[in-house]
Amino acid sequence: MSTAVKLPARESAPHEMSDYDVERIRADFPILREKAHGHTLVYLDNAATSQKPKAVIDAIVGYYEHENANIHRGVHYLSERATEEFELARKSAQKFINAPRPSEIIFVRGATEAINLVAQTYGRTHVHAGDEVLITAMEHHSDIVPWQILCEQQGAKLKVAPINDRGELILAEFERLLTPRTKIVGVGHVSNALGTVNPVREIVTMAHARNIPVLVDGAQAAPHVAIDVQQLDCDFYAISGHKMYGPTGIGILYGKQALLEAMPPYQGGGDMISSVTFEKTSYNRVPHKFEAGTPDMAGAIGLRAAIEYLQKLGMNNIAAHEHQLLEYATRAVSAIPGVRIIGTARHKASVLSFVIEGVHPHDIGTILDQQGIAIRTGHHCAQPVMECFKIDATARASFGIYNTKEEIDALVRGIKKVQEVFA
Ligand code: 7TS
């Protein structure tokens, strides 16, 4: 496996970065002023969860201080106001991913719940004994296990499209695995363990040519690249709010209106019905049919603030900034003798996974932590990826909007220190 990594030129021309003021962005994130073990915090674990700007924290506090009430049910002032804010958050999410209609946005807990919802509603309706579900070898457990559960329930088979030694999906193999038995495809937009950006548009075209719908796990894409579900033409798209500078406990499932309308509900309860008798219950229209019970209103409002924050920066500017960081880090880290980068796809975003000869990744993480540098170590909930590379774990640095080259320099110094300790 090659460690000589050269990132390609971006597909589109990088945006003018002169107005991307990383220090001003950092000032918006109170937590970045925290110390870790007496050192300035260097937060490079953004793929696990991102930090929150003051605008998001303020939106949540403001909601509880001024607007809190249950939504869609009260006739009183606060309930109407909370409902309005919640529905504005939905519109904001709709615009963020360029969905045609707000009713195609379902608020869920996160990407995990979004994928489980589709597996248990669309999946249980359309996947039967002998059928197949196709995923890729680089999926997060959240885009594996819900399909495994579905396949077990229905007597169906989970098929896995392989990746090459750079960590790229082998498209020809993927296409070969699309059969008349394939009832749905699940594919990650960006791999959390490798950083690979998948050619989602091509994947969708291949699947749609055979009338197979595609769910895209966008948990690692939404914070880093502009998403246009109409351009991708995917059928479902799953997002976690907390990875895109929003709060935990809120996420987005996009689904095409016609599919959502035909799907049975996921959970039963308040708000998802239009009428209930003991003999028969009829369901509310989408998206409410999929939002049983009191939703995370504060979360949705916080997510809206995060979306507005990202939109102000501009997703293309963010992508350009992070691309520069990733190139810089890739060059610096791959130049250290004894360090091997895992995941050298030609098209990558945000993630730098690596191993150091003779050092367990957990030890790398611990020694970096003592220097105030937060990375993640382990299998990153993508154990099959580790198996492909015949390793147990990696150390993973993942970058976000507020990271700097100086922080990458600190990471490089940290890695050298790890090597000294283990020399
Ligand atoms: N899909 C991908 C590609 C992910 O990276 C993650 C979380 C999920 C789904 C699940 O998201 P959740 O918000 O529902 O938990 N990934 C990671 C990670 O890389 N480190 O910690 C969590």
Side-chain angles (χ1 to χ4, degrees):
M1 222 165 293
S2 156
T3 51
V5 183
K6 192 174 173 305
L7 288 170
R10 289 170 50 76
E11 279 175 348
S12 53
H15 270 238
E16 198 44 65
M17 292 294 295
S18 55
D19 54 355
Y20 193 93
D21 186 345
V22 76
E23 287 309 322
R24 247 180 73 191
I25 293 169
R26 293 181 68 81
D28 292 335
F29 288 79
I31 208 168
L32 296 181
R33 295 193 279 277
E34 291 291 310
K35 297 267 178 199
H37 303 301
H39 295 271
T40 306
L41 172 69
V42 175
Y43 189 77
L44 300 177
D45 195 17
N46 294 286
T49 197
S50 60
Q51 301 303 346
K52 321 303 170 197
K54 189 80 170 37
V56 168
I57 299 165
D58 287 348
I60 297 166
V61 172
Y63 169 75
Y64 282 122
E65 284 184 347
H66 303 291
E67 287 155 346
N68 179 52
N70 211 328
I71 57 163
H72 296 148
R73 19 200 129 184
V75 291
H76 57 81
Y77 171 78
L78 277 183
S79 177
E80 280 177 7
R81 200 155 152 202
T83 303
E84 208 172 284
E85 290 295 322
F86 186 76
E87 292 306 325
L88 278 175
R90 197 188 304 280
K91 285 198 178 117
S92 168
Q94 174 208 350
K95 293 214 177 77
F96 184 65
I97 59 170
N98 194 30
R101 303 168 193 84
S103 53
E104 295 176 313
I105 302 295
I106 298 160
F107 282 124
V108 288
R109 272 197 304 125
T112 301
E113 186 173 49
I115 299 167
N116 277 281
L117 188 159
V118 174
Q120 287 301 312
T121 57
Y122 184 91
R124 283 187 95 164
T125 316
H126 292 89
V127 179
H128 303 293
D131 287 341
E132 293 169 2
V133 172
L134 179 59
I135 60 171
T136 84
M138 73 178 95
E139 299 312 307
H140 184 277
H141 295 168
S142 290
D143 199 32
I144 301 174
V145 185
W147 303 120
Q148 271 174 335
I149 293 172
L150 170 71
C151 287
E152 250 168 54
Q153 287 165 335
Q154 305 296 90
K157 251 204 199 129
L158 187 66
K159 294 283 190 166
V160 182
I163 57 177
N164 63 22
D165 64 4
R166 306 176 72 103
E168 296 165 325
L169 178 64
I170 305 171
L171 264 185
E173 286 296 307
F174 172 84
E175 187 163 33
R176 199 180 56 78
L177 286 163
L178 292 169
T179 75
R181 285 285 188 199
T182 314
K183 290 299 179 303
I184 188 161
V185 166
V187 62
H189 196 163
V190 174
S191 153
N192 73 313
L194 302 170
T196 309
V197 180
N198 274 315
V200 170
R201 185 68 189 86
E202 279 173 78
I203 288 168
V204 169
T205 303
M206 285 175 179
H208 282 185
R210 296 155 178 89
N211 288 321
I212 304 164
V214 178
L215 174 139
V216 180
D217 173 359
Q220 295 294 347
H224 306 297
V225 296
I227 292 159
D228 182 338
V229 292
Q230 294 189 64
Q231 189 270 331
L232 295 174
D233 197 27
C234 57
D235 302 278
F236 301 103
Y237 199 98
I239 291 175
S240 287
H242 70 94
K243 292 187 199 288
M244 48 177 282
Y245 312 98
T248 48
I250 190 81
I252 299 164
L253 170 65
Y254 158 79
K256 283 183 178 166
Q257 181 88 13
L259 293 174
L260 293 177
E261 276 172 3
M263 279 152 56
Y266 178 46
Q267 295 178 329
D271 230 26
M272 54 75 73
I273 52 86
S274 62
S275 84
V276 176
T277 67
F278 287 119
E279 289 69 41
K280 178 153 179 62
T281 289
S282 51
Y283 304 125
N284 205 338
R285 61 187 196 280
V286 294
H288 310 295
K289 181 170 79 176
F290 295 105
E291 292 177 352
T294 302
D296 185 354
M297 286 93 71
I301 285 154
L303 180 59
R304 178 180 169 211
I307 289 172
E308 284 170 358
Y309 188 85
L310 289 174
Q311 284 169 332
K312 216 168 64 197
L313 294 180
M315 290 312 294
N316 289 331
N317 291 328
I318 290 169
H321 171 73
E322 292 177 354
H323 184 76
Q324 283 176 7
L325 287 180
L326 184 60
E327 264 192 331
Y328 184 78
T330 303
R331 218 174 297 125
V333 171
S334 59
I336 307 172
V339 178
R340 180 162 67 108
I341 291 178
I342 304 295
T344 53
R346 277 158 288 192
H347 198 183
K348 278 184 70 171
S350 173
V351 168
L352 193 71
S353 257
F354 59 93
V355 291
I356 304 179
E357 219 177 282
V359 189
H360 193 279
H362 289 301
D363 294 327
I364 303 174
T366 305
I367 294 169
L368 290 178
D369 175 56
Q370 286 161 4
Q371 300 163 68
I373 304 168
I375 61 156
R376 185 168 170 196
T377 63
H379 54 58
H380 315 294
C381 299
Q383 266 184 298
V385 172
M386 302 298 119
E387 217 177 292
C388 289
F389 285 85
K390 305 203 168 28
I391 49 180
D392 296 329
T394 75
R396 180 190 69 183
S398 52
F399 311 113
I401 52 177
Y402 36 61
N403 289 125
T404 63
K405 287 186 175 166
E406 289 71 29
E407 291 182 310
I408 290 164
D409 294 340
L411 172 69
V412 169
R413 283 195 301 276
I415 292 172
K416 289 181 177 161
K417 179 112 185 237
V418 171
Q419 289 180 314
E420 278 165 34
V421 172
F422 279 85

